[in-house]
């Protein structure tokens, strides 16, 4: 198991407050990757008017919620399962399949390895290469697969590299995985931020591949990590039955259920988010690319990975410099295969993005 060093997660504002003496209310988190618009006005109004829903149990089958997800994603209703955030569904899937050896695309989110290890499994990493801008070489990846591996874990778009696999490429991976009898778990937490999401999502492929499960949540795009609502889609009826058998009833509270039924149909908020992220992603990429002291990697989501090329500046130094201004970025030296020259930041409001850009230039100019 790879050792992950201690780091500040985007939610660790209390730790920052304690160490740096900065009130958490005065910190702008460029590390949490959450939609800068916050929850939509429609959702805020709806939840305030339905607060009495907590006096009743939710529908055990979450029929209305699953129908909303069905309409939003195009997935088949019977292939949808909901849970207490995508993290619970990752855990339930691993507990249901008991992988002995898993191959994880890296660098990536550490929770996959943790869950596999807790179930007694062993993990290997397929490292994305910096010289390819962390884009996967699908042919090479498929050549690494063999019958000793029973699970592939792919974050798509990937965190922290912001690179992605197309639907066509995913088909090739799934076909190869089928030959060796391995399952493929795809985490699409950041898919909705992508400019060409329809060409990237693996949810339509669940109609054709029974060795596939796709996971999503509402924490990032819909700015609601505290509601703890996630969902998964798979065309494997045996897996669905097994997960539903293991899953506790009512893992989603009544307010989260109502929120899910509203947010997935909030077209104005969805379009406003996509426009903001697309515009700011292009602007920030262009501005940083003018500097010869950094390398900016192509991004198709709401965060950007940057390599510091100025030898005397490390990711720790950049984090320290920015946090003292109330701007919290992600020091990426804690990710497998990345060193202390990498940082990641998510896109916030134009004003805050400009503030971060100026702070970074102070060390990079």
């Amino acid at each position: 198991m790879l050792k992950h060093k201690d780091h500040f997660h985007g939610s660790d504002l209390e730790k920052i407050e304690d160490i740096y003496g900065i009130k958490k209310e005065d910190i702008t988190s460029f590390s949490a990757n959450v939609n800068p618009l916050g929850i939509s006005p429609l959702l805020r109004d709806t939840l305030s008017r339905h607060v009495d829903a907590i006096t009743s149990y939710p529908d055990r089958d979450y029929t209305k919620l699953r129908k909303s997800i069905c309409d939003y994603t195009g997935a088949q209703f019977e292939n949808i399962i909901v849970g207490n955030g995508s993290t619970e569904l990752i855990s339930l899937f691993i507990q249901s399949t008991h992988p002995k050896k898993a191959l994880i695309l890296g660098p990536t989110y550490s929770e996959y390895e943790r869950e596999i290890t807790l179930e007694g499994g062993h993990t290997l990493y397929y490292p994305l290469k910096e010289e390819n801008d962390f884009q996967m070489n699908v042919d090479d990846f498929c050549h690494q697969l063999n019958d000793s591996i029973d699970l592939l874990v792919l974050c798509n778009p990937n965190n922290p590299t912001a690179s992605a696999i197309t639907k066509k490429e995913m088909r090739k991976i799934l076909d190869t995985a089928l030959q060796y009898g391995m399952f493929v778990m795809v985490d699409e937490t950041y898919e909705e931020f992508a400019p060409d999401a329809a060409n990237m999502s693996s949810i339509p492929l669940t109609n054709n591949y029974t060795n596939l499960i796709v996971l999503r949540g509402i924490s990032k795009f819909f700015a609601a990590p505290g509601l703890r609502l996630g969902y998964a889609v798979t065309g494997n009826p045996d897996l669905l039955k097994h997960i539903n058998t293991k899953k506790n009833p009512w893992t989603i509270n009544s307010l989260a259920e109502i929120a899910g039924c509203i947010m997935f149909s909030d077209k104005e908020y969805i379009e406003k988010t996509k426009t903001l992220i697309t515009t700011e992603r292009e602007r920030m990429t262009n501005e940083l690319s003018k500097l010869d002291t950094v390398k900016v990697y192509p991004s198709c989501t709401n965060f950007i990975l940057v390599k510091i090329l100025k030898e005397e500046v490390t990711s720790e130094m950049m984090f320290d410099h920015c946090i003292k201004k109330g701007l919290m970025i992600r020091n990426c030296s804690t990710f497998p295969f990345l060193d202390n020259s990498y940082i990641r930041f998510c896109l916030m409001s134009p004003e805050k993005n400009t503030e971060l850009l100026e702070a970074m230039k102070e060390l990079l100019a």
Side-chain angles (χ1 to χ4, degrees), residues 203-308:
I203 286 181
L205 301 180
T206 58
N207 297 326
N208 308 107
Y209 293 90
T210 56
N211 65 328
L212 170 66
I213 185 169
V214 183
L215 304 163
R216 285 194 191 173
I218 63 167
S219 296
K220 308 302 185 181
F221 189 85
F222 291 99
L227 278 177
R228 308 310 306 142
L229 171 59
Y231 59 96
V233 183
T234 181
N236 188 314
D238 292 333
L239 179 61
L240 282 166
K241 183 179 179 180
H242 202 282
I243 292 177
N244 276 315
T245 300
K246 293 182 75 69
K247 188 165 74 77
N248 293 322
W250 304 303
T251 57
I252 300 171
N253 66 64
S254 300
L255 289 179
E257 180 186 24
I258 291 169
C261 292
I262 293 297
M263 63 176 57
F264 296 124
S265 61
D266 192 347
K267 294 182 180 179
E268 181 180 351
Y269 175 84
I270 291 169
E271 287 307 311
K272 189 175 180 180
T273 297
K274 287 180 178 291
T275 299
L276 173 63
I277 296 301
T278 299
T279 302
E280 286 302 292
R281 179 173 55 224
E282 181 177 351
R283 181 175 77 91
M284 291 295 282
T285 297
N286 289 341
E287 287 297 319
L288 283 169
S289 296
K290 295 175 183 177
L291 302 175
D292 58 8
T293 49
V294 295
K295 179 176 180 179
V296 185
Y297 298 94
S299 171
C300 65
T301 186
N302 68 323
F303 55 83
I304 297 172
L305 180 69
V306 174
K307 183 177 184 179
I308 301 169

Side-chain angles (χ1 to χ4, degrees), residues 72-223:
Y72 178 61
T73 64
Q76 294 185 30
F77 175 81
E78 63 273 16
N79 291 348
I80 298 170
I81 185 169
V82 295
N84 190 251
S86 59
T87 304
E88 184 200 28
L89 294 168
I90 291 171
S91 180
L92 285 169
F93 169 72
I94 298 300
Q95 292 170 22
S96 297
T97 54
H98 304 290
K100 293 182 176 63
K101 184 186 286 187
L103 181 64
I104 303 175
L105 191 68
T108 198
Y109 181 48
S110 62
E111 188 65 21
Y112 312 131
E113 181 184 353
R114 176 181 173 275
E115 289 292 341
I116 293 164
T117 302
L118 286 174
E119 279 298 302
H122 176 63
T123 56
L124 302 172
Y125 277 84
Y126 177 88
L128 296 169
K129 293 182 171 59
E130 191 276 338
E131 57 264 32
N132 296 332
D133 287 341
F134 297 107
Q135 298 292 330
M136 179 195 278
N137 181 324
V138 176
D139 289 334
D140 181 70
F141 179 78
C142 289
H143 283 141
Q144 306 302 316
L145 305 184
N146 56 67
D147 56 13
S148 73
I149 302 167
D150 44 20
L151 173 64
L152 298 181
V153 179
L154 308 172
C155 183
N156 193 43
N158 187 45
N159 174 25
T161 63
S163 53
I165 303 165
T166 66
K167 192 185 301 180
K168 181 180 179 181
E169 292 170 329
M170 190 66 75
R171 282 184 179 275
K172 184 167 186 176
I173 294 170
L174 288 165
D175 286 335
T176 306
L178 270 176
Q179 295 176 26
Y180 296 111
M182 65 182 72
F183 230 103
V184 181
M185 182 178 79
V186 180
D187 183 346
E188 290 192 348
T189 295
Y190 299 101
E191 186 271 346
E192 290 138 303
F193 291 107
D196 190 15
N199 190 42
M200 188 181 301
S201 177
S202 294
I203 286 181
L205 301 180
T206 58
N207 297 326
N208 308 107
Y209 293 90
T210 56
N211 65 328
L212 170 66
I213 185 169
V214 183
L215 304 163
R216 285 194 191 173
I218 63 167
S219 296
K220 308 302 185 181
F221 189 85
F222 291 99

